[in-house]
Amino acid sequence: MKKVLFVAAIIAGCIANSSCVSKKVLEECQNENKTLSGSYQSAREELASANARINSLQDQLSACQGNNASLQKSLEQSLNAATAGSVNIAKLVDQINESNQYIRHLVEVKSKSDSLNMVLTNNLTRSLSKEDMKDVDVQVQKGVVYISLNDNMLYKSGSYEISPAAGSTLQKIAKIIMDYKDYDVLIEGNTDNVPISQTNIRNNWDLSCLRASSVVQALQTKYGVDPKRLTAGGRGEYNPIADNSTAAGKVKNRRTQIIITPKLDEFMELIGKAPEADKK
């Protein structure tokens, strides 16, 4: 009887110890998740701020470049005229140098913004495998995420039905969309210029719209994306990114693009914050 009680005590101790260890591990994971979530949110806010600044700086850059050209023209005219005291050449040279220095500063700021876009792009694509990346292109431009999907991966040949092989990639894309929970999502179908020959599809307009609709419904029904955030649209053959006269160009043009963009009120909020951001 004593042996039985001793063994029972040992088992109870092991269970209690295991529970403590599991609870500790869970707490560590939860803390790490909070830290990562905070870092990700900070990166998004920094990107939005940087994009707002770069838009303002880009306008200033254009103005400075125009002013620089005008100053250089004035300098040339003053040298040709060679009239003493007509123009303060030294002052013009200083102004040109200052303008060039400011242009270099604006270029440096733009480079930093591009680097931030690249970091965010890398964060978005970390969940995609090398195999996925053969058919998926992810870019971030001015706070808007563009995800382009190859139709050979997405659809059955000559059809708008989603291919079973696309499930894994769409699931990962859905996670990216869910991470941007406050953004609207446009699914945009595109085709090459080869006429469609299906009896139930009139033309490439129909095909592009049907394919976009298939992706929207898959994201909603299979991967839980809120349908209120989704819009399906088709551009047929009229939004090419390559030459349709080559086979390689046609492959690039047959694509479905997922565009994740801030809502209008968020754009206005960014515009309102831009002057404060520039002062920093």
Side-chain angles (χ1 to χ4, degrees), residues 4 26 46 71 83 90-91 100 123 133 144 174 179 188 193 207 219 225-226 253-254 263 278:
V4 172
L26 176 60
E46 290 175 9
L71 289 171
T83 54
K91 183 177 180 180
N100 286 334
N123 289 339
M133 292 306 294
V144 179
D179 287 341
E188 183 182 271
N193 63 348
L207 179 61
L219 291 172
V225 178
D226 185 356
N253 291 331
R254 294 193 303 267
K263 296 179 181 178
D278 290 338

Side-chain angles (χ1 to χ4, degrees), residues 22 56 58 116 181 183 201 210 243:
S22 299
S56 175
Q58 188 67 52
L116 187 58
K181 58 184 178 64
Y183 282 33
I201 303 175
L210 289 169
D243 189 353

Side-chain angles (χ1 to χ4, degrees), residues 63 111-112 125 180 183 206 216:
S111 177
K112 289 181 179 179
T125 56
Y180 281 75
Y183 282 33
D206 279 0
V216 163

Side-chain angles (χ1 to χ4, degrees), residues 47 51 113-121 140-143:
L47 174 63
N51 282 327
S113 178
D114 291 341
S115 297
L116 187 58
N117 281 345
M118 184 178 296
V119 170
L120 184 52
T121 300
V140 180
Q141 299 177 13
K142 297 183 179 180

